[in-house]
Amino acid sequence: MCDSPPGNLSGEFRDRVVCVAGLGVSGPPVARALSGMGAHVVVVDGRTDQTARERAAELRTEGVEVALGGEELPPGSELVVTSPGWRPDSPLLVAAARSGIEVICDVELAWRLRPANQTWLAVTGTNGKTTTVRMLEEILRADGRAAAAVGNVGTPIIDAVLPGTDGRAPADILAVELSSFQLHWSATLRPYAATVLNVAADHLDWHGGMEPYARAKGQVYAPGTVRVTNQDDPWSRHLATTRGDSGAPLAGFSTNRPEPGELGLDAGRLVDRSFVSEPRTEAVELARVSEMAAADPHNVANALAAATLARSVGVSPEAVRTGLARFAPEPHRISRVATVETVDYVDDSKATNPHAAAASVASFGSVVWLAGGLLKGADVEELVRAAAPRLRGAVLFGQDRARLRSALAEHVPDAPVVDIPDTGPEAMGKVVSAAAELARSGDTVLLAPAAASMDMFTDYNERGEAFVAAVGGLAPSPPE
């Protein structure tokens, strides 16, 4: 269909000068791979902190040139492979564009280097990407496929398309998590099948607004790619028809009873009315919600997305059932931490935008909400308006807490709000203590920040761990 032969470019990198922009997660493995192909690699990063210095020192021992403390395009550069987080208006990328030098990201590079027999199933969206690709990986493996989940889920994608140092062959099929940043820098990517799970305001500061952010997501529906759409999300449907190939197959999923051509829910069962012989009359049961380890409403939607992608490559119903039963959610995703004096404490630090936080708050009846951080240009009015009936109170922290406080004052004026201005190591302890004072029997103290964490923490994982540690200081009893 669209699984076109790879570019087989590995030999074309010999003696070429390639700039790798960024020493983050993707930079070092890309630098090593290109250096191993004979390229002269120069890694550039404006940081000079200890982590950057340590990574630079390690790469230099492997023969890779590294320039720290600036963002200048290295002389003679013929290609730039940028880390996803580098904005298009950064000086190095602007200089490359002016000089006519191609800029790609690690995903585009991996796509060009992939083995001829490797199939990609791609997942993007504002929320649910990691969970969906992990579910998809479990389903594919249950069907006996040599599969790997890659992208922002642990395995660098460049490592998944090249033979291992031990000679191990790359996986036959990849469940690929893709961010809007990566899609922005991917020109020739053509997954076999792909989905946009949902689109809500996020990363608007990077993309310059909602429309360009959505367009970047929509690039996953490439020419020939099987279009898997979330029928419950207007943006997903819109992008599949406006950005996708109208001649490519279309399969939808929904948490409602499925129409012909869809997967959906029917009486607590995940049902397929798409990949069957007679979609108008035939329905195949794939799994029961009661058998799933992750059965929250948003995870059922993710399971349907994963099942649709899996069925597009011929995975059996039995494998879908087995894979979803095996799947276990990762930490900091609506994880119940403890129960203290009949109050539940739940960690959803991964709720890094308003859309994710709204789904989290909607999962509980009476909530003491812990929120704040970097909103990245996102609006919180709709989130607070929808959450208002469930909010007993809120504890706010982080750089953009004033915007949350303003929205709470307008939409939940009677709810008590505690403002924690501290940003040091003790801040989360103060947040949790304040929440414990507000909470009553039967409440849920919910960390669902609706914002990124980098104003106070390294990432959402560190923020979640700080919450877990602070709750531990309340002498909790284990959850049932």
Side-chain angles (χ1 to χ4, degrees):
M1 190 167 299
C2 66
D3 211 14
S4 55
N8 294 317
L9 299 175
S10 57
E12 297 185 17
F13 288 106
R14 182 165 301 280
D15 298 325
R16 294 184 69 190
V17 179
V18 181
C19 169
V20 174
L23 265 175
V25 174
S26 64
V30 165
R32 291 187 178 98
L34 290 168
S35 180
M37 297 173 198
H40 176 68
V41 179
V42 183
V43 181
V44 176
D45 197 302
R47 298 175 303 160
T48 57
D49 58 58
Q50 182 176 350
T51 300
R53 293 196 304 271
E54 289 175 353
R55 290 177 178 172
E58 186 174 350
L59 286 172
R60 286 168 180 147
T61 64
E62 301 173 36
V64 175
E65 184 178 343
V66 182
L68 298 179
E71 293 187 5
E72 294 183 1
L73 184 68
S77 294
E78 301 170 70
L79 175 71
V80 175
V81 183
T82 181
S83 295
W86 279 47
R87 294 167 57 113
D89 59 0
S90 64
L92 187 151
L93 301 185
V94 169
R98 287 174 176 168
S99 300
I101 299 169
E102 185 179 22
V103 178
I104 63 174
C105 70
D106 60 326
V107 169
E108 175 70 12
L109 178 65
W111 173 255
R112 298 181 186 185
L113 294 172
R114 76 198 189 283
N117 63 345
Q118 190 178 72
T119 299
W120 286 28
L121 303 176
V123 177
T124 191
T126 303
N127 298 302
K129 298 184 293 296
T130 298
T131 297
T132 301
V133 297
R134 289 293 193 197
M135 286 177 166
L136 179 56
E137 179 186 45
E138 289 285 3
I139 293 169
L140 292 168
R141 289 181 174 179
D143 201 53
R145 312 292 182 102
V150 299
N152 298 322
V153 294
T155 302
I157 194 166
I158 194 69
D159 292 343
V161 301
L162 299 175
T165 54
D166 58 357
R168 183 181 305 173
D172 294 337
I173 187 166
L174 300 183
V176 185
E177 177 181 350
L178 294 174
S179 70
S180 58
F181 308 145
Q182 291 167 321
L183 286 163
H184 177 89
W185 297 116
S186 297
T188 70
L189 176 65
R190 303 288 186 269
Y192 177 84
T195 188
V196 177
L197 298 173
N198 44 65
V199 180
D202 199 13
H203 304 301
L204 304 188
D205 52 347
W206 196 98
H207 289 280
M210 190 66 181
E211 288 286 342
Y213 171 59
R215 284 199 304 272
K217 292 290 189 188
Q219 286 183 207
V220 78
Y221 293 128
T225 296
V226 176
R227 298 166 293 161
V228 173
T229 65
N230 181 355
Q231 297 296 89
D232 302 332
D233 186 86
W235 271 112
S236 182
R237 299 195 309 269
H238 173 73
L239 292 170
T241 55
T242 60
R243 303 289 292 178
D245 181 350
S246 61
L250 177 68
F253 65 91
S254 170
T255 53
N256 298 310
R257 188 172 183 179
E259 299 292 332
E262 296 178 1
L263 278 71
L265 280 181
D266 188 358
R269 303 174 302 145
L270 277 67
V271 173
D272 180 359
R273 294 189 65 189
S274 180
F275 301 97
V276 292
S277 300
E278 295 291 339
R280 289 177 296 178
T281 58
E282 186 180 355
V284 174
E285 179 180 314
L286 302 176
R288 294 181 180 270
V289 174
S290 60
E291 299 170 345
M292 293 170 51
D296 295 313
H298 65 287
N299 276 330
V300 173
N302 294 334
L304 286 163
T308 309
L309 289 166
R311 293 285 283 164
S312 77
V313 291
V315 167
S316 70
E318 294 76 19
V320 174
R321 182 188 302 271
T322 300
L324 292 178
R326 287 177 182 172
F327 171 79
E330 294 188 346
H332 314 306
R333 291 167 168 81
I334 312 189
S335 303
R336 199 174 300 274
V337 175
T339 300
V340 183
E341 298 179 356
T342 68
V343 173
D344 291 335
Y345 288 76
V346 174
D347 169 16
D348 194 13
S349 183
K350 185 61 172 68
T352 57
N353 56 67
H355 184 265
S360 192
V361 173
S363 300
F364 305 97
S366 180
V367 174
V368 176
W369 184 32
L370 313 187
L374 295 171
L375 287 170
K376 301 173 292 184
D379 180 63
V380 295
E381 294 294 327
E382 183 178 348
L383 160 64
V384 175
R385 186 184 303 111
R390 302 173 184 271
L391 296 182
R392 177 180 293 281
V395 182
L396 306 180
F397 57 91
Q399 180 173 307
D400 291 335
R401 65 188 184 279
R403 291 175 54 193
L404 288 159
R405 184 169 62 247
S406 176
L408 287 163
E410 180 176 351
H411 300 293
V412 206
D414 296 329
V417 176
V418 179
D419 192 300
I420 305 294
D422 302 58
T423 59
E426 74 291 340
M428 187 58 77
K430 294 182 179 181
V431 169
V432 170
S433 294
E437 290 291 326
L438 292 178
R440 301 292 181 265
S441 178
D443 287 349
T444 297
V445 172
L446 173 65
L447 175 67
S453 58
M454 288 78 75
D455 56 333
M456 294 173 60
F457 303 94
T458 303
D459 52 27
Y460 75 83
N461 289 293
E462 185 181 58
R463 180 170 61 189
E465 291 301 325
F467 174 74
V468 171
V471 173
L474 299 177
S477 56
E480 295 180 0

